[in-house]
Amino acid sequence: MNHISPVIWQFLVKWMTNFQLFPPEASKIAPQMDALLFFMILVSVIGLTIVVLLVVSFSILYNKKRHPVAIQMEGSTLLEATWTIIPLGLFLVMFVWGAIIYFRVFTPPANSMNIYVVGKQWMWKVEHPGGQHEINALHVPTGRPVQLTLISQDVFHSFSVPAFRVKREVIPGRYTTVWFEATTPGTYHLFCTQYCGKDHSRMGGDVVVMTPDDYRKWLSASTSGVSLAQNGERLFASLSCSACHNSRPDARGPNLPNVYGARLKLATGETITADEAYLRQSILNPSQHITQGYAPIMPTYQGQISEEGVIALIEFIKNLDSDYRIQQTLNTTELLPGSQGATPSAPQVPAANEHPANQMVKP
């Protein structure tokens, strides 16, 4: 012990006590992926064994001592067809099996709970719809599909939870998604598996899987009192978005209630689905997709709103099912100091630096 570095000794102790050839299967998709992996390993081992045995056998049976004069051997059509068709069949089985799992992994159920994850050097920032915020941690319930909407604030990252058998690239300026359904309560390690700078090895965290009852208790205890949609509404009002996006006949921008998930016709004649990616682009780069019937007058908010602020605005728009909330923000905006018709006694929206939403708009 005295001749071994304490760091190496600690590593050896942890490795010997915690080593696992495979991580635990803690999600619904994990057993399916492991079954495919074990099948591929089994086929590979059997194939390797057959090849080694044939090489050794032929080396013994047909060496120079037994056959000093070479003999021309004719091929066998049946043999050649056998060693072609059987491997081809096995490869096709692997391909179809893998394709089925692939489509399951990238097709989240309709009732999935959506959670936003923002990667940045060198941490994971998690935003729950109810307003709960986490750093390098993610709390989820068992027995419920969870969809993660991922985006990077700086460089490429990769979100990986080995116990769930999920891994997804986290890309700057673009949403990617991955989903899982946790099955076993516990704490599982979260990794960044894409080199992202000098502290890449420290960009990790924990995924805490809880029973539904414990998860509800955690939600109640962890809430900030303001949901993402409410933060988005305040930001929507502070940016005076309702001045253009309202239901008035002379509105200069499209009306937003029920726009999420709808098929929109663009000025170019194309049709596009208003999903999270479209809403994000419309906020940060509005000239890219101009809705038919409207002029390209919306300014860009690139560099003025953080990724968390964009997420809050998207959640607000997703939850709009009527014009009531927009009308409320419009009325509030008109009562702000400096607006027409403002009175000294008029109520004011709290300033960005007086509310948790202040973290969403950069100075």
Side-chain angles (χ1 to χ4, degrees), residues 131-149:
Q132 295 81 7
H133 307 281
E134 302 185 80
I135 294 180
N136 293 336
L138 171 62
H139 287 72
V140 296
T142 57
R144 184 174 178 185
V146 177
Q147 175 179 313
L148 302 180
T149 300

Side-chain angles (χ1 to χ4, degrees), residues 4-325:
I4 301 177
S5 164
V7 175
I8 297 177
W9 178 258
Q10 185 180 18
F11 168 77
L12 291 174
V13 170
K14 288 189 175 182
W15 183 79
M16 292 297 292
T17 55
N18 300 314
F19 174 76
Q20 288 181 312
L21 186 60
F22 288 94
E25 296 176 342
S27 72
K28 200 171 181 179
I29 200 70
Q32 302 175 41
M33 299 190 74
D34 286 353
L36 173 59
L37 175 62
F38 293 143
F39 176 76
M40 295 172 67
I41 292 174
L42 178 63
V43 170
S44 301
V45 169
I46 292 175
L48 176 63
T49 303
I50 292 174
V51 170
V52 170
L53 288 176
L54 289 174
V55 169
V56 173
S57 300
F58 292 162
S59 299
I60 296 173
L61 293 174
Y62 301 104
N63 60 42
K64 189 174 182 180
K65 290 182 180 180
R66 289 176 179 266
H67 300 277
V69 179
I71 302 173
Q72 178 65 34
M73 301 185 67
E74 300 296 332
S76 169
T77 303
L78 177 61
L79 181 60
E80 292 181 6
T82 300
W83 73 41
T84 300
I85 294 174
I86 291 178
L88 176 62
L90 291 172
F91 294 150
L92 287 176
V93 168
M94 296 178 195
F95 172 78
V96 173
W97 193 347
I100 291 172
I101 293 177
Y102 177 87
F103 285 113
R104 286 177 182 169
V105 169
F106 287 95
T107 308
N111 63 337
S112 298
M113 175 177 64
N114 191 36
I115 298 175
Y116 294 91
V117 179
V118 179
K120 62 174 297 186
Q121 295 174 315
W122 287 272
M123 67 175 68
W124 298 106
K125 301 172 73 175
V126 178
E127 303 279 346
H128 294 259
Q132 295 81 7
H133 307 281
E134 302 185 80
I135 294 180
N136 293 336
L138 171 62
H139 287 72
V140 296
T142 57
R144 184 174 178 185
V146 177
Q147 175 179 313
L148 302 180
T149 300
L150 309 154
I151 194 167
S152 171
Q153 194 167 308
D154 37 49
V155 299
F156 277 73
H157 301 284
S158 187
F159 184 94
S160 175
V161 185
F164 296 166
R165 309 299 190 267
V166 296
K167 179 181 180 296
R168 195 73 167 103
E169 302 309 308
V170 185
I171 303 171
R174 176 179 144 195
Y175 287 132
T176 55
T177 60
V178 69
W179 79 276
F180 56 84
E181 183 176 332
T183 56
T184 309
T187 301
Y188 305 98
H189 199 57
L190 159 66
F191 293 91
C192 174
T193 53
Q194 174 74 40
Y195 181 72
C196 55
K198 67 181 185 68
D199 287 334
H200 159 71
S201 61
R202 298 174 58 186
M203 190 170 174
D206 294 317
V207 179
V208 182
V209 180
M210 315 172 79
T211 63
D213 289 339
D214 289 340
Y215 182 69
R216 281 192 289 269
K217 293 176 183 176
W218 178 83
L219 286 178
S220 301
S222 304
T223 182
S224 62
V226 181
S227 68
L228 276 181
Q230 290 171 319
N231 269 334
E233 181 177 354
R234 292 174 181 269
L235 190 55
F236 192 86
S238 68
L239 295 173
S240 301
C241 301
S242 53
C244 294
H245 296 282
N246 56 67
S247 59
R248 294 176 177 176
D250 60 345
R252 291 173 290 177
N255 202 17
L256 299 179
N258 298 313
V259 72
Y260 177 74
R263 298 284 292 172
L264 303 179
K265 195 164 187 180
L266 304 181
T268 58
E270 300 175 85
T271 303
I272 193 169
T273 301
D275 55 10
E276 286 92 346
Y278 168 81
L279 295 176
R280 182 181 184 277
Q281 284 296 324
S282 296
I283 295 169
L284 300 180
N285 189 16
S287 61
Q288 183 173 353
H289 300 296
I290 305 298
T291 306
Q292 192 174 68
Y294 295 93
I297 60 173
M298 179 174 169
T300 177
Y301 289 94
Q302 186 80 46
Q304 301 180 53
I305 307 177
S306 67
E307 286 296 344
E308 290 88 345
V310 174
I311 288 171
L313 283 172
I314 290 173
E315 277 297 301
F316 170 61
I317 296 171
K318 286 171 63 175
N319 285 275
L320 284 174
D321 54 8
S322 71
D323 196 53
Y324 174 74
R325 297 311 311 167

